[in-house]
Amino acid sequence: MHEADTRTDRPGAPAHVVVIGGGIAGLAAAHRLLSDGLRVTLLEAGPRLGGKLHAGELAGLPVDLGAESVLARRPEAVELARAVGLADALQPPATATAHLWTRGALRPMPRGHVMGVPAEPGPLAASGVLSAEGLARIEAEHALPPTEIGEDVAVGEYVAARLGHEVVDRLVEPLLGGVYAGNAYRISMRAAVPQLFDAARAHPLLSEAVRDVQARAARQPQTVGPVFAGIDGGIGRLPVAVAEACRAAGADLRTAAPVREVLRTATGWRVVTGTETVEADAVVLATPAGPTADLLSGLAPAAAAELRGAEYASMALVTMAFRRSDLPAAVTGGEASGFLVPPVDGRTIKASTFSSNKWAWAGADPDLFLLRTSVGRHGDDHDLKREDAELVDVSLADLGEAVGLGARPVASTVTRWDRGLPQYPVGHLAGVARIRAAVAALPGLAVCGALYDGVGIPACVASAGKAADVVIASLATPGADH
């Protein structure tokens, strides 16, 4: 083992920050630190950068093998894409018409809801998503006394108490599951749907709270334009472009560089890998809970204990290429972007995206059509034990029932995200606050990533910016113990 990248103590020399973790959060943190004139070394344990943003190829066509879009009404990810030269590649979905496969049929996604929670039953009645009993239960809320929320509550628990279990099982569950691969009856309302949480505390009726959230959103300038955005060629291009921008700014980005230990020294920090030690003025940990807990066990045991209690969901994406001529019009018609599947219906797949309909770049080939399904969620990983070929077969079986697909793909690939999505149970934000308070006692150290501020790409970029700002402030503080 040898020593490398020692701190630069020459007057006026830029401070050196080591970022551990090369997912989008780590890359965004590196980009932000470099923009402030700092020197950056990024260490990623795996063979590639990008984390759950992964561009690939199938049957000669570009595909996203991980996340496929960003929430465009949050600025952070779009601004980062523009900063690294992808402004012209940003594009909205070609179609955003989603459906629910529930109660034996594909049904249009009802409008006028906040994460599946309806403002009124009218739009639901036409969709056929809920039974007559389910619709009547929504109306019955007007006769209910207020439900105590307290400091936090599970989304499903609260919505079921106000509007009935059907709303949760058929609407909230598939929508939240699409974001967290989790269970709505365990997910924190305060963390996952904060605007609705705040409004529900101010209104006795949940329907009133939903209308309040909708009214507030309508007054925001960012509500103009598409809700989501993709990138021509796939969202997986984003981390590649950020990495290129970081290298151009002088960053040292390394893969296959697992970090074994992070130590405080008299003058800063020492990062120990399998082959060398790297001296730094500050460190940003952009790693999942388990590795972060291991690195903090001796530095911040209270934070490490919180992190070890974090739960993650595993999932798999089954990406397939078909001959267009082999597919039913229900798929290739161009109007549908795909469908979600409520777990209560007992299907294997949790969602399907008709990629060649949803994204213009994915639909450019006149002969081939890209489609993908997702399998697995928190507490329901039995199907993930299947071999890749089995996951393709069960996906095809469900697609056959849902849209009449009877063809086999000309090519397929299965991407597994083991423990890929952190869960946000009730009390999650309080736990995050405790982690950050423990880490804050160590100037020059910060954490970021999907566990802390949201699992979406904009939230991860924002989390990275927050961590970078913490480090920058600590380095600028005269007399700070780095």
Side-chain angles (χ1 to χ4, degrees), residues 196-222:
L196 187 58
F197 176 78
D198 291 339
R201 299 181 83 184
H203 295 279
L205 296 178
L206 181 53
S207 54
E208 291 179 353
V210 173
R211 287 192 287 272
D212 186 5
V213 172
Q214 292 171 333
R216 290 173 184 270
R219 293 194 292 269
Q220 298 300 314
Q222 64 266 30

Side-chain angles (χ1 to χ4, degrees), residues 147-148 153-162 165 168 184-186 426:
T147 301
E148 180 64 32
V153 67
V155 179
E157 176 186 324
Y158 180 76
V159 175
R162 302 303 306 172
H165 286 279
V168 178
Y185 289 97
R186 298 186 70 246
V426 173

Side-chain angles (χ1 to χ4, degrees), residues 263 265 301:
L263 303 167
T265 69

Side-chain angles (χ1 to χ4, degrees), residues 399-480:
L399 287 166
E401 286 194 53
V403 296
L405 189 153
R408 293 204 58 90
V410 298
S412 63
T413 187
V414 176
T415 312
R416 296 174 185 268
W417 298 108
D418 184 41
R419 290 177 55 81
L421 285 169
Q423 299 301 288
Y424 281 26
V426 173
H428 176 77
L429 293 183
V432 168
R434 290 190 293 269
I435 292 168
R436 283 199 163 122
V439 171
L442 302 165
L445 183 67
V447 294
C448 64
L451 179 69
Y452 305 98
D453 302 295
V455 298
I457 299 171
C460 289
V461 175
S463 182
K466 184 183 297 186
D469 288 345
V470 166
V471 163
I472 290 166
S474 76
L475 293 172
T477 302

Side-chain angles (χ1 to χ4, degrees), residues 34 242-251 253:
L34 290 160
V242 177
E244 289 173 352
C246 287
R247 289 192 179 100
L253 309 183

Side-chain angles (χ1 to χ4, degrees), residues 12-17 30-40 249 472:
H16 180 210
V17 182
H31 188 266
R32 170 72 181 88
L33 293 163
L34 290 160
S35 70
D36 206 65
L38 302 178
R39 188 161 65 93
V40 174
I472 290 166

